[in-house]
């Protein structure tokens, strides 16, 4: 009866699908695991059951705590068996189960016995298992054995101990550091892998001691390293030393000869590691580059895809900074365009696009056109990006490049790909005036047949801004109005807005636009109708041809310079009442995202997309908190709250940081205090501020903190008056004063009597940047041009010797406290000059834009040209003063 | 850049992208579903390529993946985007060849599942917590295939005899073809 059910398909299929684990089920396997408890162990059977358990875990099955404990205890029984294969499986199983501390104790003695066994393989594996599951306390007990194992004559045992050391260094550094003598001995081992592991551990032990690393590198580069992997490590350490020794005055770079020598090593991995290290040297010269490029060029024609990929990827990076150095490889690169491996082909193409000269563009484009049809979208995006930068480099070639972009725009492709193309066209239109008209027409044609609502609306919006400024705005109307007929409601609404913008900007078109807008009044979507009505009314759609008023233009075109997140928050908090919502009450501060979250250098400029949304702002919270305190309620609107500044070292008795709240005529310091001593209760906590080095400030109020129990943070405030609207600066010294009471830790009750005590905090400064809000602009160029050039102030500054260009750029950004725009805060490696765009709002609500141009002057000296535009020339001057005095 | 070469994961999938055995050494994929998503992505990206004679390589999501196929088995080794590609491919080759030796030339999914214990031990011997443990296929296979070993004999000698045996086997096989 059962047979026909099983044999659903023909026999052959069944055979192909056969698996020893077919129909395996966790419950049943756990039952099977009871054989581990048999007095007469069957090693083979036990091995099979462990394999099944491991299979389940490997397939993503999880054991509950109880199941895991049960299995673990059963597995520990298997140490009785002498079967070597079974023991190996037991080791793996224990590692997979990652037992808890009290379970570890059960196996510790068995593992320690194995660790001192005569069988090398037992020793090696037991060390790895024990070190994986152990905690610090047990480690001191086995430390002696581990030290012996490191210098064991069996390489497998030594490697096991060394690799375990590498892992343990993360959790128990002080213990592992004591092994340095043994590790050093192991570095001299004749076994390749032992040398590699020993070198890795030795370096990690010493990594914070620059001198020791230096010595390690200089002794080993003389040539006692045999293992290729260890040699790769040594190359990495050497480049680190080179990087840190920094001063690249005239003359030869230290250790360059070693790197160059490695290019002749017999192992490919070493050759490549050295070549890559050379190309990544800071300020590498073309003479230094040449030998590295030569070996990479050889790799390009290797039969191994991995080698070709590694080489072309490295050369691609070199091409960004030293395009000339890579041109020698162009012929090899061109043959890689047809490489089977599409990653390699794409890298080759983009490298060629970077190194190509103006005359080769057309030929290259022809090759790429063939290539584009058979690669995946993600590669196409890379190519599109490369073509965009090429076009910006050779604006004269915009015609053929723009044509290429419009051709691929018409072909099949997913959203990300199409968006990349549209973004590129938009950027080209912005930056190359001659390309504007043809670019806009390409976009118009694209929306005729565009399946992505998002792209259609973005393009329509863009058309509304750029279209009216062209020589013949008339020709775009047809494309836009077609959208009103043929598209979904979202696109229709966007098209209506765009039409209105044409109407507002081009007076001759107005009557015709009105006719079209009136037709939209009968649309079946309310948003479309609403927009049409609104625009007809604001533009004066009663038929008379009038000049559009400035405030109407501002309404139509003015950008919303409030971060959307903040607006969203304020709207959520708004409670319907008599008072209508005031958009001016929305905080404008953009919270800076930590740099780590940002994409690495090479982040592409955003085209159509809105500026990245910041995390929800805390300004609202501060505002609420401060206005709830009666002493501060009449200070007016909060202009800015700084990020917390630490006033104590980490891990002190009391942790205090301060937030500076800036008002028009006042400054409030909010001290966030934490008491880290369980045996103490602090009362009447207040910060005594000495403002003798801040002449323009005078203390007006303070709000002590009644009680500060252990580990529950509290705040105390001090307020100062300062001249209204003036960016006064100054230094404040702080003293924490409080009454301390002893607390009985067992009952948690405090004694009645307390002692007055003081605690010195670090100084605090109010600086110019505190008066600057970080407010981004979506299009810096437009914003810059719309500011009055009369208010521009330009000057040059020498910043003296700096660690790097990037460091100088960041220092100036921090000094000004402004928002970097368009990703210009990221300085590409090895560049000799950089332009950085900043925007912000200065106290008194004055918009400020800054264009910084940095250049390296000599080996380390950084020179900077600072151009400021703002709505008030006094503010432009003030910005220069900040830089001059910073 | 990480100073010590590190391996993010080693995957052994079948010709439909299902797991035969996998090992993750990095927290980049905290959940099983994240792992499965990664495996699916890797598999679909590499499925159509021909990685049978030479190891192939691709890059996505800021990872470098080197891979090689035999029969219905797909081998992958993943590293960070700054990793030396050749080091990754050395690890792949070591694992690939060791599995070949352990399965005695019958490298296919059934054989691999039948000998899953050997495959798991093999993974255990190639990389430990992301640190490369051994790249020589003969040594790896020698350490794993302990059934033929005499427990008392020192391991270093074991591996040499083992290596000789496997070499002999290889030779006979190539002669028979």
């Amino acid at each position: 009866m059962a047979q026909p059910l099983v044999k659903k398909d023909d026999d052959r299929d069944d055979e192909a699908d056969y698996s020893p684990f077919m129909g395996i089920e966790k419950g049943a396997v756990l039952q099977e695991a009871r054989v581990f408890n048999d007095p007469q162990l069957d090693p083979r059977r036990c091995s099979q059951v462990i394999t099944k358990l491991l299979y389940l875990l490997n397939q993503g099955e999880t054991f509950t705590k109880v199941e895991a404990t049960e299995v673990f205890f059963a597995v520990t029984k298997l140490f009785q068996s002498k079967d070597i294969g079974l023991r190996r499986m037991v080791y793996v199983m224990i590692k997979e189960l990652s037992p808890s501390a009290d379970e570890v104790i059960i196996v510790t003695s068995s593992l320690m016995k194995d660790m001192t066994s005569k069988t090398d393989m037992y020793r090696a594996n037991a060390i790895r298992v024990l070190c994986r599951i152990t905690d610090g306390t047990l480690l001191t007990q086995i430390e002696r054995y581990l030290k012996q194992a490191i210098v064991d004559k069996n390489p497998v045992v030594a490697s096991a101990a060394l690799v375990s050391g590498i892992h343990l260094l993360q959790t128990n550094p002080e213990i592992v550091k004591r092994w340095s003598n043994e590790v050093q001995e192991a570095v001299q081992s004749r076994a390749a892998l032992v040398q590699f592991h020993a070198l890795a551990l030795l370096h990690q032990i010493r990594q914070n001691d620059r001198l020791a690393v230096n010595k390690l590198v200089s002794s080993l580069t003389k040539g006692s390293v045999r293992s290729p992997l260890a040699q790769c490590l040594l190359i990495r350490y050497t480049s680190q030393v080179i990087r840190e020794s920094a001063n690249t005055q005239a003359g030869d770079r230290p250790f360059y000869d070693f790197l160059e020598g490695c290019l002749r090593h017999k192992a490919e991995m070493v050759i490549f590691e050295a070549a890559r290290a050379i190309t990544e040297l800071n300020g590498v010269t073309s003479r230094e580059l040449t030998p590295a490029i030569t070996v990479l060029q050889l790799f390009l024609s290797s039969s191994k895809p991995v080698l070709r990929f590694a080489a072309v990827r490295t050369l691609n990076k070199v091409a960004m900074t030293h395009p000339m150095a890579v041109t020698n490889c162009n012929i090899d690169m061109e043959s890689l365009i047809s490489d089977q491996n599409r990653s390699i082909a794409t890298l080759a193409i983009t490298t060629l696009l970077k190194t190509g000269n103006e005359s080769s563009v057309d030929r290259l484009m022809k090759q790429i056109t063939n290539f584009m049809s058979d690669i995946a979208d993600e590669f196409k995006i890379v190519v599109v990006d490369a073509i965009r930068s090429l076009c910006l480099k050779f604006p004269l070639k915009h015609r053929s490049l723009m044509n290429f972009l419009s051709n691929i725009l018409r072909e099949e492709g997913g959203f990300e790909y199409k968006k990349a193309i549209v973004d590129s066209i938009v950027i080209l239109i912005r930056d190359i005036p001659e390309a504007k008209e043809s670019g806009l027409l390409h976009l118009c044609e694209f929306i005729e047949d565009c399946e992505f609502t998002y792209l259609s609306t973005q393009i329509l919006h863009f058309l509304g801004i750029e279209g009216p400024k062209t020589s013949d705005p008339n020709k775009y109307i047809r494309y836009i109005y077609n959208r009103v007929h043929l598209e979904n409601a979202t696109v229709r609404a966007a098209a209506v807005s765009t039409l209105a913008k044409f109407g507002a900007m081009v007076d001759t078109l107005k009557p015709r636009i009105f006719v079209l807008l009136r037709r939209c009044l009968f649309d079946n979507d309310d948003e479309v109708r609403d927009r049409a009505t609104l625009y007809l009314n604001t533009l004066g759609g009663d038929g008379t041809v009038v000049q559009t008023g400035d405030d109407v233009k501002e309404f139509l075109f003015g950008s919303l310079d409030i971060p959307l997140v903040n607006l969203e928050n304020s709207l959520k908090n708004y409670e319907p009442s008599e008072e209508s919502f005031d958009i001016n009450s929305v905080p404008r501060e953009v919270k800076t995202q930590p740099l780590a979250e940002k994409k690495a250098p090479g982040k592409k400029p955003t085209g159509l997309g809105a500026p990245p949304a910041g995390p929800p702002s805390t300004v609202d919270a501060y505002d609420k908190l401060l206005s709830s305190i009666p002493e501060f309620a009449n200070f007016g609107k909060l202009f800015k709250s700084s990020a917390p500044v630490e006033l104590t070292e980490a891990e002190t008795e009391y942790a205090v940081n301060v937030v500076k709240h800036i008002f028009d005529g006042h400054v409030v310091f909010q001290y966030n205090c934490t008491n880290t001593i369980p045996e103490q209760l602090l009362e009447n906590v207040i910060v005594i501020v000495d403002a003798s080095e801040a002449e323009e400030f005078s203390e007006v109020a303070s709000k002590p903190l009644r009680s500060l129990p252990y580990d529950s943070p509290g705040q105390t405030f001090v307020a100062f008056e300062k001249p209204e609207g003036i960016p006064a600066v100054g230094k404040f010294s702080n003293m924490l004063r409080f009454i301390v009471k002893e607390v009985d830790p067992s009952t948690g009750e405090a004694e009645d009597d307390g002692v007055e005590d003081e605690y010195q905090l670090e100084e605090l400064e109010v600086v110019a940047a505190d008066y600057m809000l970080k407010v981004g602009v979506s299009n810096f160029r437009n914003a810059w041009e719309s500011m009055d050039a009369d208010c521009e102030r330009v000057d040059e500054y020498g910043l003296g010797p700096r660690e790097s260009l990037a460091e100088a750029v960041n220092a100036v950004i921090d000094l000004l406290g402004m928002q970097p725009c368009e990703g210009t805060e990221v300085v590409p490696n090895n560049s000799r000059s950089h332009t950085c765009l900043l925007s912000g709002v200065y106290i008194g609500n004055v918009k400020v834009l800054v264009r910084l141009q940095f250049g390296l002057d000599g080996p380390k000296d950084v020179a900077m040209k600072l151009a400021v535009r703002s709505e008030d020339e006094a503010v432009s001057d003030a910005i220069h003063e900040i830089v001059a005095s910073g | 850049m990480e100073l010590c070469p590190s391996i993010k994961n080693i995957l052994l999938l079948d010709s439909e992208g299902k797991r035969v055995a996998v090992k993750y050494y990095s927290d980049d994929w905290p959940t099983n579903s994240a792992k499965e998503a990664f495996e699916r992505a890797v598999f679909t990206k590499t499925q159509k390529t021909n990685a049978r004679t030479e190891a192939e390589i691709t890059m996505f999501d800021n990872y470098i993946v080197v891979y090689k196929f035999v029969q219905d088995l797909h081998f992958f080794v993943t590293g960070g985007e700054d990793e030396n590609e050749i080091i990754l491919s050395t690890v792949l080759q070591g694992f690939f060849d060791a599995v070949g030796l352990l399965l005695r030339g019958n490298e296919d999914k059934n054989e691999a599942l039948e000998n899953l214990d050997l495959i798991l031990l093999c993974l255990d011997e190639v990389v430990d917590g992301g640190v490369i443990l051994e790249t020589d296929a003969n040594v790896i296979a020698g350490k794993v295939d302990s059934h033929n070993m005499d427990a008392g004999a020192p391991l270093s000698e074991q591996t040499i005899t083992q290596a000789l045996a496997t070499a002999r086997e290889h030779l006979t096989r190539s002669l028979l073809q």
Side-chain angles (χ1 to χ4, degrees), chain A residues 590-641:
Chain A
V590 184
K591 279 283 155 210
T592 29
Q593 281 166 287
L595 212 68
E597 281 179 32
K598 292 209 172 126
K599 280 260 170 143
K603 182 179 168 238
K604 57 176 180 181
T606 31
L608 285 168
S617 102
T618 51
V619 179
D620 267 343
Y622 282 139
D623 202 11
K624 253 189 206 154
L625 176 72
L626 290 172
S627 54
S628 68
I629 300 169
E631 288 93 328
F632 310 142
N634 58 353
F635 287 177
K637 191 172 142 15
L638 176 62
F639 176 72
K640 175 181 177 172
S641 301

Side-chain angles (χ1 to χ4, degrees), chain A residues 442-458:
Chain A
H442 288 314
L443 291 178
C444 281
E445 274 164 27
F446 173 60
I447 53 172
E448 291 274 89
D449 185 25
C450 169
E451 54 186 312
F452 305 109
T453 301
Y454 175 83
L455 289 181
S456 293
T457 53
Q458 297 288 307

Side-chain angles (χ1 to χ4, degrees), chain A residues 18 58-59 88 95-96 119 128 132 167 197 203 236 269 272-273 276 305 309 313 341 378, chain B residues 2-3 19 22-23 45 56-57 64 81-85 90 110 124-125 128-129 132 143 151:
Chain A
Y18 168 74
N58 218 294
Q59 295 295 320
R88 296 296 315 276
K95 278 196 273 189
E96 283 298 322
T119 315
R128 281 171 57 203
R132 170 66 56 85
H167 297 314
H197 295 133
H203 179 263
R236 290 183 189 187
M269 71 165 80
F272 174 65
E273 188 73 46
R276 192 170 69 160
F309 178 90
R313 190 159 79 106
N341 184 319
E378 48 187 314
Chain B
E2 277 221 44
L3 282 174
R19 272 182 199 168
V22 296
K23 187 80 191 157
K45 263 192 80 74
E56 278 287 345
I57 181 163
I64 305 250
E81 65 173 333
D82 286 329
E83 203 41 83
N84 180 330
E85 294 89 340
T90 310
N110 287 340
D124 188 54
E125 292 293 351
D128 182 291
I132 300 165
K143 285 205 264 180

Side-chain angles (χ1 to χ4, degrees), chain A residues 18-21 51 54-55 58-60 84-85 88-89 92 95-96 119-120 125 128 132 154 156 163 167 193 196-197 200 203 229 232-233 236-237 240 268-269 272-273 276 304-307 309-310 313 341 343 378, chain B residues 1-5 19-23 32 45 54-59 64 66 81-87 89-90 110 113-114 116-117 120-121 124-125 128-129 131-134 143-144 146-147 151 154-156:
Chain A
Y18 168 74
S19 142
F21 301 103
T51 309
L54 287 171
Y55 174 82
N58 218 294
Q59 295 295 320
I84 220 168
R88 296 296 315 276
M89 295 309 282
V92 175
K95 278 196 273 189
E96 283 298 322
T119 315
D120 290 333
N125 276 291
R128 281 171 57 203
R132 170 66 56 85
N154 184 305
V156 180
V163 171
H167 297 314
L193 268 297
F196 164 60
H197 295 133
H203 179 263
L229 276 169
C232 285
L233 278 183
R236 290 183 189 187
Y237 303 154
Q240 193 189 25
E268 280 157 348
M269 71 165 80
F272 174 65
E273 188 73 46
R276 192 170 69 160
K304 295 183 190 159
V306 174
L307 252 59
F309 178 90
R313 190 159 79 106
N341 184 319
S343 303
E378 48 187 314
Chain B
M1 184 170 75
E2 277 221 44
L3 282 174
C4 189
R19 272 182 199 168
V20 175
V22 296
K23 187 80 191 157
N32 189 48
K45 263 192 80 74
E54 289 286 357
E56 278 287 345
I57 181 163
T58 185
M59 186 174 168
I64 305 250
V66 288
E81 65 173 333
D82 286 329
E83 203 41 83
N84 180 330
E85 294 89 340
I86 301 164
I87 293 183
S89 85
T90 310
N110 287 340
L113 285 173
E114 290 282 1
L116 189 67
D117 50 346
L120 291 172
L121 289 176
D124 188 54
E125 292 293 351
D128 182 291
V131 181
I132 300 165
L133 213 50
E134 181 55 75
K143 285 205 264 180
V144 170
S146 48
H147 295 298
L155 193 68
S156 46

Side-chain angles (χ1 to χ4, degrees), chain B residues 47-106:
Chain B
Q47 196 181 7
K48 293 204 187 75
T49 50
N50 180 12
R52 289 176 191 274
T53 44
E54 289 286 357
E56 278 287 345
I57 181 163
T58 185
M59 186 174 168
F60 77 104
D61 284 354
N62 302 328
Y63 297 112
I64 305 250
V65 182
V66 288
Y67 54 99
K68 197 166 181 189
F69 305 156
V70 61
Q71 305 268 27
D72 53 357
L73 287 177
H74 294 205
F75 294 72
F76 303 88
V77 171
T78 308
E81 65 173 333
D82 286 329
E83 203 41 83
N84 180 330
E85 294 89 340
I86 301 164
I87 293 183
L88 293 178
S89 85
T90 310
V91 174
L92 174 73
Q93 198 65 44
F95 177 52
F96 182 92
D97 290 343
V99 170
L101 290 173
L102 291 167
L103 299 182
R104 295 176 195 281
N106 305 319

Side-chain angles (χ1 to χ4, degrees), chain A residues 79 87 91 104-118 122-123 126-127 129-130 134 138-145:
Chain A
F79 274 103
R87 184 67 58 89
Y91 292 141
V104 169
I105 297 171
I106 312 289
V107 281
T108 305
S109 61
S110 308
L111 285 171
M112 277 170 74
K113 213 172 109 208
D114 283 359
M115 220 169 83
T116 49
S117 138
K118 283 205 180 61
Y122 278 175
R123 282 217 304 287
I127 288 172
V129 177
L130 201 52
T134 186
L138 181 62
L139 196 55
T140 43
Q141 289 179 46
I142 57 169
E143 193 185 351
R144 190 162 56 92
Y145 302 111

